[in-house]
């Protein structure tokens, strides 16, 4: 306790295979379902190929890890990248929402800063 589940490669395995990877981590302490159940210990770590949303490996540590990993195993098998995973309809508040949340976290870290600043200024202007 807590549970640990993994699918795909670890960072070391990817490096030995010559695959450059990025790691995105989402803390379960931010997941509404984990907060409701007071089981906030743990995180979801997703490895993607650098420059891509393709899943290389996923590790889940925390409550319901054994169930949550199934979402990522399916995504890897069916070649569902993080962009598509982020837009999936997932029950809320649920443990599987961690999949959508880690995908959204991945997307936020790749948003073009100049575009985001321009959008922020535009929204401020629209609100008057």
């Amino acid at each position: 306790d807590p549970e640990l589940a993994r699918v795909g490669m670890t960072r070391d395995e990817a490096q030995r295979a010559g695959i450059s990877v990025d790691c995105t981590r989402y803390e379960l302490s931010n997941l509404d379902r984990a907060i409701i159940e007071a089981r906030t210990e743990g995180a979801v770590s997703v490895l993607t190929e650098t420059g891509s949303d393709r899943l290389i490996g996923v590790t889940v540590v925390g409550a319901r890890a054994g169930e949550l990993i199934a979402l990522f195993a399916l995504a890897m098998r069916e070649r569902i990248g993080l962009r598509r995973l982020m837009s999936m309809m997932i029950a809320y508040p649920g443990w599987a929402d961690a999949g959508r949340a880690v995908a959204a976290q991945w997307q936020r870290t790749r948003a073009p800063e100049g575009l985001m600043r321009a959008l922020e200024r535009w929204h401020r202007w629209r609100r008057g």
Side-chain angles (χ1 to χ4, degrees), residues 18-40:
I19 302 170
S20 176
V21 295
D22 294 321
C23 181
T24 303
R25 184 177 168 98
Y26 180 78
E27 299 292 329
L28 294 179
S29 61
N30 296 316
L31 183 67
D32 290 344
R33 188 68 202 191
I35 293 167
I36 290 168
E37 293 187 18
R39 302 288 312 266
T40 57

Side-chain angles (χ1 to χ4, degrees), residues 61-92:
V61 177
R64 310 283 174 108
E67 296 171 27
L68 185 52
I69 201 70
L71 172 69
F72 295 104
L74 176 64
M76 288 178 72
R77 187 177 133 235
E78 297 299 320
R79 301 188 194 314
I80 297 170
L82 288 178
R83 286 183 184 93
R84 286 184 50 210
L85 188 63
M86 184 175 58
S87 67
M88 290 178 70
M89 298 293 285
I90 297 176
Y92 175 85

